[in-house]
Amino acid sequence: MDPVIVVGAGPVGLTLALALAAAEVPSVVLDETGGEEDRRAARTVVLRPDTAALTARLGCATLRDEGARWEAWRLMRRRQLVRRLPLGVEGFPSPVHIAQHALVRGLRAAAAKTPLVQVVADSRVDTLEQDGSGVTAHIRGPGKAYWRGSYLVGCDGARSTVRKLLGVRFPGRTGVERYAVAALSAELPWPREAVLHRQPPWRTGGEEVAARPLPRGGWRVDWLLPSRGELVTPDALVTRVREALAGWCGETPPYELLDTGVHTVHHRLAQRWRVGRAFLAGEAAHLLGAVGTQGLDEGVRDVDNLAWKLALAWHQGPGEALLDSYQAERRTAVAARLRAADQSLPILRGGGGLRGLLPGSAGSREALLADGHLGQGPLGAPPAYPNSPLAPAWTDGAADVGTAPGAQVTDVRVTAPDGTAGRLRERLGRGRLLVVLVAPGTAVWDRRHWVTAGVMPRLAAAVDGLPVDAELLVAEAYPGAAAHHVLVVRPDGHLAAAFAGVRPAQLRAAADAVRGGEPSDDRKDAGGRTAPVN
């Protein structure tokens, strides 16, 4: 079967190629550039814990070597510290801050190690043709004139050629926010802590300035600018740098200015994310970034959602419901993120009251800012897909656990029947369904005993008979789950279903729904409520 064509060799395209390779699907990555490294110190990305874990699991070593994990997040207003949140071991999970060129270099190095990923430089897509069995991408460049693929994914950025060739509209808002940006080396009073300073007391501070640490004493500093009208000259930016450093340190300390720029945030959402055998992902499908939200996070989540579905279709044949679910789940999730950011902007930037505050937020401007910058709440938390078209119908024996259906599962410790132990998140990304039995006491049992005892033989037989590739795991405990609860986890780590006990028929029905089988129209839960379908 033909490989999957990935158009674009940025972070999203390379991550998709690696995720497909992990599921044993070959891909061809068409790189419009010559493969050279675009080193811009001020062009950095922040990855939340879930997206950082995915890229690291796919072999990107630069996250560990060249990424910075923050120890705390500070919110200041004028001359006062308003809030300090510990991150990492002591508090909320810490994001990873890394230069984009370092992230791309790490992904390219990982791709070079697998024969299932072929990166082709100087390949600009000119036209696309689709038929019932695949996609043909015609190329402008010195090499091959065209590539034939089973599917094609446009990961080619905000000005996506693929999106334009597919005739997909990209409506939204232009110039939602503007930032002056500087990358520099300096010693600030709070090493390894990110700072958001509102209404700083010095002349050029503006409404808001943020300083986020990078490795080896580096910092990225962002000044919120008026949406229109202010021209940021090099001299004016140097003045901003010196006054900000003096305001934080008492006087301007020695520093080295590495890079500068102006970043404009747009909010746009493609109307369609799938056209036949062609898909859109990353900035080809959406643009966001106001109030601390991270566009690359959502691009990597697109990959996590799409890769296993393409892999299942590639190995077992296309399922329309399965492939359509990518748009239903991801476009809905990103639309909710954009809506949350748009609702927050008048509250945070307009200086008004908190009327119309976002559902799920903690009820203050400080909480909204923390949500956006740290990946929490409606502005930043990992998405859930409660109304997914892949959700199994409610059935007798369904159980409530600490994770809602469609949400990301908790990363508990698990053991495979062969004795291999590790974290649940480490088993994701291989295109397999995970079936987790909660069995207290297995940690102290000899594996020879528990693997053939109790419900294990019956559950193992049920897992072997599923219509998709699945892996059986055992957990000592899971939040909100009782002994012998069985969790069905999608390959992207979202909970499909949970059952009280081993129920082979319900387990098979859940697996069938996850692969895009036709679920029952009866989606009523135990309380008689009907879950709508997107």
Side-chain angles (χ1 to χ4, degrees):
M1 191 170 176
D2 292 322
V4 174
I5 299 174
V6 179
V7 181
V12 174
L14 291 168
T15 302
L16 176 58
L18 289 167
L20 290 171
E24 301 181 351
V25 176
S27 64
V28 174
V29 181
L30 302 182
D31 183 2
E32 183 179 325
T33 74
E36 62 275 2
E37 190 174 282
D38 181 17
R39 295 183 62 89
R40 288 291 310 274
R43 192 174 187 183
T44 67
V45 294
V46 178
L47 293 175
R48 311 303 189 199
D50 62 311
T51 54
L54 172 62
T55 51
R57 190 168 64 241
L58 294 174
C60 183
T62 51
L63 285 182
R64 180 187 65 249
D65 302 334
E66 301 184 51
R69 290 188 181 271
W70 309 333
E71 295 181 358
W73 187 81
R74 290 173 172 259
L75 177 63
M76 301 176 68
R77 186 171 182 270
R78 296 193 175 95
R79 300 183 185 276
Q80 301 296 319
L81 175 64
V82 176
R83 191 179 187 190
R84 181 183 182 275
L85 286 175
L87 303 177
V89 176
E90 297 182 6
F92 292 104
S94 176
V96 178
H97 191 198
I98 187 171
Q100 182 164 315
H101 67 262
L103 176 63
V104 170
R105 186 185 342 114
L107 292 169
R108 282 185 177 272
K113 295 177 181 178
T114 172
L116 290 174
V117 178
Q118 181 180 2
V119 180
V120 185
D122 297 313
S123 297
R124 179 178 177 82
V125 175
D126 190 34
T127 58
L128 297 177
E129 297 173 358
Q130 295 195 55
D131 54 46
S133 61
V135 184
T136 301
H138 296 270
I139 307 301
R140 281 188 296 174
K144 188 172 178 176
Y146 69 91
W147 288 92
R148 178 69 176 175
S150 53
Y151 300 95
L152 181 143
V153 186
C155 306
D156 48 342
R159 296 181 175 86
S160 171
T161 299
V162 171
R163 187 184 64 241
K164 294 170 185 175
L165 292 174
L166 295 175
V168 175
R169 294 186 62 235
F170 199 37
R173 299 172 58 199
T174 300
V176 177
E177 289 191 326
R178 290 173 64 235
Y179 292 88
V181 182
L184 53 90
S185 292
E187 289 188 14
L188 298 186
W190 43 80
R192 297 180 296 280
E193 295 188 10
V195 180
L196 183 66
H197 199 153
R198 304 196 74 204
Q199 299 175 355
W202 52 88
R203 180 178 59 86
T204 58
E207 180 64 24
E208 184 178 292
V209 57
R212 292 174 285 188
L214 286 162
R216 295 176 288 278
W219 296 84
R220 170 170 162 164
V221 184
D222 296 65
W223 292 264
L224 178 64
L225 300 172
S227 58
R228 291 181 178 83
E230 182 173 340
L231 179 65
V232 182
T233 65
D235 287 344
L237 191 48
V238 169
T239 300
R240 284 180 180 270
V241 169
R242 294 182 62 84
E243 291 194 1
L245 295 180
W248 288 327
C249 302
E251 60 182 12
T252 303
Y255 72 93
E256 180 183 3
L257 189 60
L258 306 174
D259 191 18
T260 61
V262 175
H263 172 56
T264 302
V265 174
H266 310 292
H267 280 180
R268 295 188 178 276
L269 187 66
Q271 287 193 328
R272 299 176 66 188
W273 290 29
R274 180 193 177 195
V275 179
R277 287 176 170 262
F279 301 81
L280 299 174
E283 289 191 340
H286 49 77
L287 294 176
L288 70 162
V291 202
T293 57
Q294 296 294 321
L296 182 57
D297 261 347
E298 298 306 326
V300 175
R301 289 166 179 159
D302 295 344
V303 167
D304 205 15
N305 187 284
L306 179 60
W308 70 271
K309 297 173 181 178
L310 286 179
L312 193 57
W314 195 89
H315 286 296
Q316 296 192 3
E320 293 305 304
L322 175 69
L323 296 177
D324 281 344
S325 72
Y326 168 64
Q327 173 174 309
E329 292 178 347
R330 288 300 304 148
R331 190 179 186 277
T332 300
V334 175
R337 192 83 77 215
L338 284 167
R339 186 164 52 250
D342 286 342
Q343 290 174 344
S344 298
L345 281 167
I347 299 169
L348 295 172
R349 307 304 187 210
L354 296 179
R355 289 174 297 178
L357 196 64
L358 295 173
S361 69
S364 70
R365 294 184 179 88
E366 291 77 15
L368 287 176
L369 287 166
D371 283 352
H373 284 268
L374 298 179
Q376 305 171 68
L379 284 173
Y385 310 123
N387 301 324
S388 167
L390 305 183
W394 183 89
T395 182
D396 289 336
D400 290 328
V401 296
T403 301
Q408 283 192 349
V409 292
T410 302
D411 188 26
V412 297
R413 187 168 181 80
V414 294
T415 304
D418 64 2
T420 305
R423 309 297 301 185
L424 180 55
R425 185 176 284 171
E426 296 169 0
R427 316 298 289 196
L428 300 174
R430 305 176 190 181
R432 303 175 191 156
L433 200 67
L434 301 182
V435 179
V436 182
L437 171 67
V438 180
T442 50
V444 297
W445 281 24
D446 188 291
R447 186 185 65 85
R448 294 174 301 171
H449 300 305
W450 64 254
V451 79
T452 57
V455 301
M456 276 294 291
R458 186 165 175 241
L459 181 57
V463 172
D464 287 341
L466 293 179
V468 294
D469 188 18
E471 181 179 15
L472 175 59
L473 301 167
V474 176
E476 177 81 7
Y478 189 88
H484 294 173
H485 274 185
V486 175
L487 281 61
V488 182
V489 183
R490 298 178 2 166
D492 56 359
H494 290 259
L495 182 68
F499 302 108
V502 177
R503 299 172 181 267
Q506 290 91 330
L507 181 61
R508 183 179 180 86
D512 195 54
V514 169
R515 73 184 179 100
E518 294 300 327
S520 167
D521 289 336
D522 181 11
R523 290 174 174 265
K524 293 183 180 180
D525 62 17
R529 299 179 297 268
T530 300
V533 179
N534 285 345

